Amino acid sequence: MPRLNRFPLRRITLASLLFSCTLWGAHVEPDDAYLHTGGKKIDLIVAKEYAREAPEIVRYESAVLTQYEKMFGYRLDDTLYQGFASSKNQVANAFSTQIPLNMQIDFVGGSLLPDYFATTSWIKTLLLHESAHNFQLNAKRNPLSRISHMVFKNTPVTFLYFAPVFPVPNLLESSFMLEGNAVLNESLYDNGGRLYSGAFRALTLTQAKAGLLTPARLYNDHLFFPYGTHHYILGGYFQLFLAQKYGIEKTNHYFLAFSDQWLPFFTNAVCRAHFGSSFETLVKEYNAWLQAEAKTFQETKGETIAFSKANVPLNSDEREIFFLISDHRSAPKLVHFMKETKRVTKERGDFLLGKTFKISDRYYTRASGRISRDNIAIGLFDRDGKLLAGSASKAVQSLLPDGEELYFDAKNSYDGFTLMRDDKVLGKVNSSVISDRAGNYYYFRQQGKERTLCRNDKPLFRYRGYYGKVTDVESSGAVWFIASTKNGSALYRYRNGKTERLTPGDDVVDARRIDDTHALLEVIRSDGIAFVKVPLQPQEASVYERSYFFEGKYHLSDTNATEPAALRNYHAWNNLHYSALAQNVEVSDKGSVNFSLSATFSDPLERNHMRIYTSRYDDDTVAGIGYDNSAYNLRFGADLYGVLSHKDKVHDRGFGGNLYLRYPWYRQTYLKGDLLANLHLDSDRDAKSPASLEADWRKVQQFGESFYPSFYHRAAIFGVADRGDFAYGARYTLSKNIADGLFIGTDLHYAHSDTDRAAAKERGILIDDTSFAAFTDPSRFVMPSLRSEIYAKEAFKGELSVKKVFNFSHYYFSLPLSLRREALYGRYRYFSLQGKKRRFGFNEYALGITFELLAFHKLPIPVTVEWMQNNDLKDSEQFRVMFDLQF
């Protein structure tokens, strides 16, 4: 294989891999029909099943953009590609990005979290929140970013020789600032929002009282409770603090000021120039403000029966209260609290996190999970992650005495929640729903800022606010519910036309009745969620109305003013747009100018992308084109390159390429099965050009923020044809968390080739020293201590490994690098290789430590320091440092 392919193509491939990690980080499910408007300002791409909703979405989004142009102080410099995904994407989320394009994708999974956002409309909240991100990230005040963006488009960073240039500078801003500001903006327009949630106010005040709101902890993507939620909630209250002090517009204009930096790293300097105080000073003032607010905050006292790092709703029947708890690193546990005996038991189960339901003495959780190769649905899942038959697309709320279910129709619950019973629509509601023993059901409806508690279709009472959920019903008909207090969230009861507060705590987020005098409460602590048994202390009280200075001041323009364009069919291949240009130029030791260029074109649904590339290394120059498509269940892609010039005297055919096909023949929550076909054609006729077919089966379970999967099981068989030779083999990998962060694993790999030709022609089974390869060959082996390439007729590898994860961390605000955690490991590998005449054995030992570093406060980068010994090689000891850049 000539040098012209070895170096330049690897560099291009590495750049493509890094870019693809960002590019394909989120996507819509395949094999769905979409339509789009093709608008210049907004190009709405909507699933065909939601075509009727397109005009309303476009009108509302147009009003949002018009308002945000005033609020953020600039216009978007590119079309906003806005996707509204099909019902095969039931995820309680959305995303906004500048990579590969100025875009957002909104999903229809809001019925999974009916009480989380304290909002009237799921889709309006998404549009307000995600569009704020588009404005935050699109800003480019400094001229270097504006000019470079015209050329390099949405490349995160490019280098002009050694000097970095940032075409999209605000990508490096902390999620604390980005998500917090979006939470502020989602709450401004008479639709509620997370700033109105009593639970999140309680979370913020408990964190402040514990002294946890430091610049380093706020600004970094850390691994402490409440994990990623802290960006949204603590960040939202920080933005509220700024808005109260400086005004909404000046607070939003911060992102324009941040983009004025040529090197977008200096948050203190930007805050000082824009607000008059450094970020660190502002955090001190923010703390003082919250400490003053928290002076009268009351923490719930009682008997703690369980503790969790996740906030998951309670459920109960006549005998027990049951719920999931999680340490956020391993499989959840199902907790049973027996009402009569007060006995507590816990059992492990590989449940998806969510509210637990008990059906025929079996337990299921309401969650969103993959139910087929092209469908993610809300439903009830058992302890193995399997969907309960008949529950797909149902966000089950309560089980009625006659066995029927009350549920939200997940497909049609994007603007309010559509409550159903036995396929009959009961109406639109704005909270979770519970039922009593007589079959009555209870919930909240929202009209403006007025929240109404209802039994069946009958209103019971009203209060002012957006936050509140029903938790239990007494046999007398008295209704328990959670609602706001001045300092957070509390348990109330509505009885005989009056409301009373049942416990003094401001930290209650859920509750269930134990008996006439006691309750089990789910309460917020600074380091997690506690489940506490308390006596009832009823006192007459009214629900607190949370109000903000901005209410009534900000309004969207007439949402009927924009007439959307007619919808037409959306095809991924003819909606490719130029999205990025990656380049690198350097001078070699020989004095020649080397370079690589790769232009990428992507479609807004990220279903396909094309790249055109060229590179030169010394006297070797190649150019090519590549394409990837994930619009269908059969994923495919190809690269074709030509050799423009070369120096080495090789058997050169003048071109080369790669082709792959991947068919996901099975998908179900933790289980995956794939058929993969790969073809590599090298430009050197004597170099390996394998065509492979592989079938694999995997079970992967990874919970919360675990460093490694809690359980990883893979089996694969393969066949490889290479220039008239044929090889076959199999691979088996198993890894398991057997204790707190202690993992053991094994990896077995076997391959046999029928070649009888010289290894000098790169024939047979390849064994080399790097885990990175320019082409796919499942028969290839990696021996890191080898430092060369060898070929064998038959190869076997057996590996045993042990890893121990530690969670020592140290975060910095003023430095761009922090330590999140680390893992020590030991590994033994035995290789048996059959050469042309004899068999060779190699024993490789390795000890190492992997540090998970956090770069620029948001990008995790594992760095491994490893010592290896292989006495069967001439260089028996090696030491290496590895950066896993494919984060």
Side-chain angles (χ1 to χ4, degrees):
M1 186 176 187
R3 173 59 63 182
L4 65 92
N5 292 326
R6 283 291 172 86
F7 184 76
L9 287 183
R10 285 192 178 190
R11 289 177 59 186
I12 289 175
T13 306
L14 178 59
S16 299
L17 283 171
L18 290 175
F19 190 73
S20 296
C21 288
T22 305
L23 190 67
W24 300 93
H27 63 275
V28 297
E29 292 300 302
D31 275 352
D32 256 341
Y34 281 82
L35 307 171
H36 75 124
T37 61
K40 188 172 182 180
K41 187 172 184 178
I42 302 172
D43 186 1
L44 175 66
I45 306 158
V46 60
K48 200 168 187 177
E49 64 185 297
Y50 294 121
R52 289 182 301 174
E53 281 70 37
E56 183 180 350
I57 294 173
V58 171
R59 292 187 185 107
Y60 194 84
E61 181 64 24
S62 296
V64 171
L65 295 194
T66 299
Q67 178 69 5
Y68 279 4
E69 287 170 1
K70 303 173 187 175
M71 301 292 280
F72 285 89
Y74 53 91
R75 293 185 176 184
L76 300 177
D77 63 7
D78 203 350
T79 301
L80 173 61
Y81 298 99
Q82 182 180 32
F84 190 71
S86 76
S87 59
K88 295 190 339 186
N89 302 264
Q90 294 175 19
V91 181
N93 206 344
F95 74 93
S96 170
T97 183
Q98 296 295 296
I99 299 176
L101 301 165
N102 177 34
M103 55 182 283
Q104 62 173 275
I105 302 291
D106 303 311
F107 301 111
V108 292
S111 57
L112 191 63
L113 300 173
D115 305 308
Y116 177 84
F117 287 91
T119 188
T120 303
S121 168
W122 164 259
I123 184 60
K124 290 179 180 177
T125 300
L126 293 188
L127 297 181
L128 290 165
H129 185 98
E130 302 305 329
S131 298
H133 286 323
N134 289 105
F135 275 83
Q136 296 160 355
L137 297 172
N138 188 259
K140 306 171 191 73
R141 178 184 273 180
N142 83 77
L144 184 58
S145 290
R146 287 201 306 273
I147 294 170
S148 65
H149 183 262
M150 295 177 186
V151 179
F152 302 112
K153 207 59 175 174
N154 295 323
T155 302
V157 61
T158 190
F159 287 84
L160 300 180
Y161 206 56
F162 290 112
V165 177
F166 299 90
V168 191
N170 285 11
L171 287 176
L172 285 177
E173 177 56 292
S174 166
S175 298
F176 173 74
M177 301 293 278
L178 297 170
E179 298 295 354
N181 180 262
V183 167
L184 171 67
N185 280 280
E186 80 185 29
S187 305
L188 297 180
Y189 299 100
D190 305 320
N191 188 52
R194 277 166 277 196
L195 289 180
Y196 287 93
S197 168
F200 291 142
R201 182 170 181 83
L203 172 65
T204 303
L205 295 184
T206 55
Q207 292 279 301
K209 286 173 65 69
L212 299 177
L213 305 188
T214 65
R217 186 150 170 156
L218 291 175
Y219 205 70
N220 281 291
D221 188 7
H222 61 67
L223 297 178
F224 301 121
F225 177 84
Y227 307 100
T229 299
H230 95 272
H231 295 312
Y232 297 82
I233 308 311
L234 305 182
Y237 272 91
F238 180 69
Q239 294 288 318
L240 175 64
F241 160 74
L242 294 178
Q244 289 184 168
K245 187 173 183 178
Y246 301 104
I248 299 286
E249 288 83 353
K250 191 169 184 67
T251 299
N252 284 346
H253 285 193
Y254 164 84
F255 297 96
L256 190 59
F258 190 89
S259 74
D260 202 22
Q261 302 177 93
W262 293 38
L263 298 174
F265 309 124
F266 306 105
T267 305
N268 262 342
V270 176
C271 287
R272 194 176 293 111
H274 188 68
F275 294 119
S277 298
S278 69
F279 178 80
E280 290 168 298
T281 300
L282 290 172
V283 169
K284 289 180 182 178
E285 295 174 359
Y286 172 52
N287 262 301
W289 174 63
L290 290 177
Q291 293 289 351
E293 294 279 312
K295 282 183 178 179
T296 57
F297 182 90
Q298 293 194 59
E299 180 181 301
T300 296
K301 307 294 183 182
E303 178 189 348
T304 299
I305 63 108
F307 193 81
S308 179
K309 296 290 187 178
N311 177 15
V312 179
L314 302 168
N315 207 347
S316 64
D317 59 17
E318 294 183 12
R319 297 178 57 250
E320 63 168 328
I321 301 171
F322 44 90
F323 52 93
L324 291 183
I325 60 173
S326 169
D327 62 6
H328 218 61
R329 294 193 182 102
S330 58
K333 292 180 180 178
L334 177 61
V335 179
H336 306 267
F337 177 86
M338 308 310 295
K339 292 182 178 180
E340 184 176 347
T341 64
K342 311 302 185 288
R343 185 169 65 93
V344 178
T345 59
K346 301 173 184 178
E347 58 175 304
R348 183 187 176 280
D350 298 327
F351 290 102
L352 296 172
L353 279 179
K355 185 173 181 177
T356 309
F357 291 85
K358 185 178 180 181
I359 301 175
S360 301
D361 290 327
R362 297 190 65 184
Y363 296 90
Y364 302 84
T365 59
R366 183 184 67 209
S368 171
R370 182 168 292 283
I371 63 172
S372 70
R373 60 174 171 254
D374 61 357
N375 197 344
I376 297 174
I378 292 171
L380 295 179
F381 294 83
D382 68 13
R383 66 177 60 245
D384 296 316
K386 295 180 181 178
L387 179 74
L388 176 65
S391 70
S393 292
K394 295 180 179 180
V396 175
Q397 299 297 300
S398 190
L399 304 177
L400 296 170
D402 61 4
E404 290 188 356
E405 300 167 342
L406 290 170
Y407 62 92
F408 293 151
D409 176 10
K411 293 182 179 181
N412 296 296
S413 292
Y414 46 84
D415 190 14
F417 307 114
T418 304
L419 182 62
M420 308 278 291
R421 176 179 179 175
D422 193 24
D423 296 330
K424 177 184 177 182
V425 176
L426 300 179
K428 289 281 188 180
V429 306
N430 299 101
S431 75
S432 54
V433 181
I434 68 164
S435 59
D436 62 18
R437 296 179 187 177
N440 300 303
Y441 55 95
Y442 302 79
Y443 57 92
F444 282 99
R445 280 185 177 150
Q446 193 78 32
Q447 184 66 42
K449 202 183 178 183
E450 185 175 79
R451 197 158 182 84
T452 303
L453 175 66
C454 299
R455 177 193 296 123
N456 303 325
D457 289 328
K458 179 183 178 182
L460 297 180
F461 91 105
R462 299 175 175 86
Y463 62 87
R464 299 277 293 171
Y466 294 97
Y467 173 70
K469 68 174 183 178
V470 183
T471 64
D472 214 334
V473 181
E474 296 178 2
S475 57
S476 64
V479 183
W480 289 21
F481 64 98
I482 301 292
S484 290
T485 67
K486 181 177 183 297
N487 295 316
S489 178
L491 175 62
Y492 292 86
R493 177 168 60 192
Y494 174 77
R495 182 173 61 174
N496 300 326
K498 296 181 180 180
T499 58
E500 52 190 352
R501 190 166 167 177
L502 292 183
T503 61
D506 291 309
D507 50 9
V508 184
V509 295
D510 205 357
R512 288 285 163 161
R513 180 176 175 272
I514 298 174
D515 52 36
D516 292 338
T517 59
H518 288 82
L520 183 66
L521 305 184
E522 185 174 355
V523 302
I524 293 175
R525 299 286 191 244
S526 63
D527 58 345
I529 303 294
F531 298 86
V532 182
K533 184 169 75 73
V534 299
L536 300 179
Q537 304 173 55
Q539 289 188 342
E540 190 169 334
S542 299
V543 175
Y544 179 81
E545 179 186 354
R546 190 161 315 289
S547 298
Y548 292 113
F549 72 95
F550 50 72
E551 290 182 10
K553 293 184 179 180
Y554 297 96
H555 305 282
L556 299 179
S557 59
D558 183 6
T559 56
N560 293 315
T562 302
E563 188 60 35
L567 293 170
R568 55 182 186 266
N569 288 331
Y570 176 91
H571 299 291
W573 54 268
N574 67 357
N575 278 278
L576 287 169
H577 303 278
Y578 173 47
S579 59
L581 177 65
Q583 60 82 34
N584 184 66
V585 180
E586 61 185 32
V587 178
S588 74
D589 295 338
K590 299 179 181 179
S592 62
V593 177
N594 299 326
F595 65 87
S596 66
L597 291 171
S598 179
T600 304
F601 302 80
S602 304
D603 81 287
L605 291 185
E606 301 190 64
R607 287 183 157 191
N608 66 163
H609 72 281
M610 181 177 70
R611 58 201 167 273
I612 301 172
Y613 56 85
T614 183
S615 72
R616 171 187 170 87
Y617 182 76
D618 291 339
D619 296 317
D620 302 329
T621 307
V622 298
I625 185 169
Y627 178 77
D628 297 284
N629 188 299
S630 62
Y632 312 100
N633 278 317
L634 179 63
R635 318 293 172 89
F636 60 89
D639 269 285
L640 179 65
Y641 67 89
V643 180
L644 304 183
S645 66
H646 62 92
K647 180 181 178 182
D648 296 335
K649 294 181 179 180
V650 296
H651 298 288
D652 179 32
R653 59 168 56 94
F655 66 93
N658 296 281
L659 171 70
Y660 73 87
L661 302 172
R662 180 167 67 87
Y663 182 73
W665 59 273
Y666 189 82
R667 289 287 190 276
Q668 182 264 308
T669 312
Y670 303 125
L671 302 176
K672 298 179 181 180
D674 285 300
L675 289 174
L676 304 101
N678 289 275
L679 170 64
H680 171 70
L681 183 65
D682 202 284
S683 60
D684 179 1
R685 298 179 190 274
D686 286 337
K688 285 187 75 68
S689 294
S692 63
L693 182 64
E694 182 178 15
D696 84 337
W697 172 266
R698 285 160 288 160
K699 182 176 183 180
V700 183
Q701 296 174 320
Q702 189 159 4
F703 302 98
E705 298 291 344
S706 176
F707 202 173
Y708 304 109
S710 295
F711 184 80
Y712 181 90
H713 186 197
R714 179 178 183 259
I717 57 174
F718 55 82
V720 181
D722 178 17
R723 297 164 294 164
D725 299 331
F726 179 73
Y728 63 88
R731 188 164 187 177
Y732 177 82
T733 307
L734 176 65
S735 175
K736 183 176 176 59
N737 183 2
I738 61 171
D740 184 21
L742 180 63
F743 298 79
I744 60 171
T746 185
D747 185 18
L748 305 176
H749 192 183
Y750 173 79
H752 176 87
S753 172
D754 64 3
T755 187
D756 57 2
R757 284 172 273 196
K761 298 295 185 180
E762 301 188 12
R763 297 284 184 170
I765 308 302
L766 168 63
I767 303 96
D768 65 8
D769 63 341
T770 177
S771 58
F772 177 80
F775 57 87
T776 299
D777 180 359
S779 70
R780 174 176 166 270
F781 284 66
V782 177
M783 188 190 301
S785 58
L786 188 60
R787 290 191 177 181
S788 62
E789 293 181 355
I790 56 177
Y791 293 83
K793 184 175 178 63
E794 184 180 66
F796 169 78
K797 182 194 78 172
E799 175 183 318
L800 295 174
S801 64
V802 60
K803 303 174 184 176
K804 178 65 177 84
V805 177
F806 299 90
N807 291 289
F808 174 77
S809 61
H810 198 85
Y811 294 93
Y812 297 94
F813 168 69
S814 298
L815 297 178
L817 201 64
S818 296
L819 174 64
R820 293 219 298 181
R821 56 187 166 186
E822 53 285 314
L824 288 171
Y825 67 88
R827 183 184 67 237
Y828 168 69
R829 286 173 174 166
Y830 173 72
F831 295 85
S832 177
L833 308 179
Q834 177 63 55
K836 196 169 184 180
K837 296 182 178 180
R838 55 176 292 216
R839 182 172 292 275
F840 300 87
F842 299 88
N843 294 272
E844 182 183 86
Y845 304 86
L847 291 174
I849 182 169
T850 298
F851 300 96
E852 186 179 59
L853 304 180
L854 190 68
F856 304 112
H857 311 287
K858 64 196 305 182
L859 301 175
I861 301 178
V863 177
T864 297
V865 180
E866 183 179 82
W867 168 86
M868 289 182 297
Q869 180 172 330
N870 189 334
N871 292 327
D872 300 302
L873 295 174
K874 183 176 180 181
D875 296 326
S876 61
E877 288 192 32
Q878 292 186 37
F879 179 84
R880 61 177 182 165
V881 179
M882 297 172 287
F883 295 82
D884 185 359
L885 294 178
Q886 296 180 46
F887 52 83

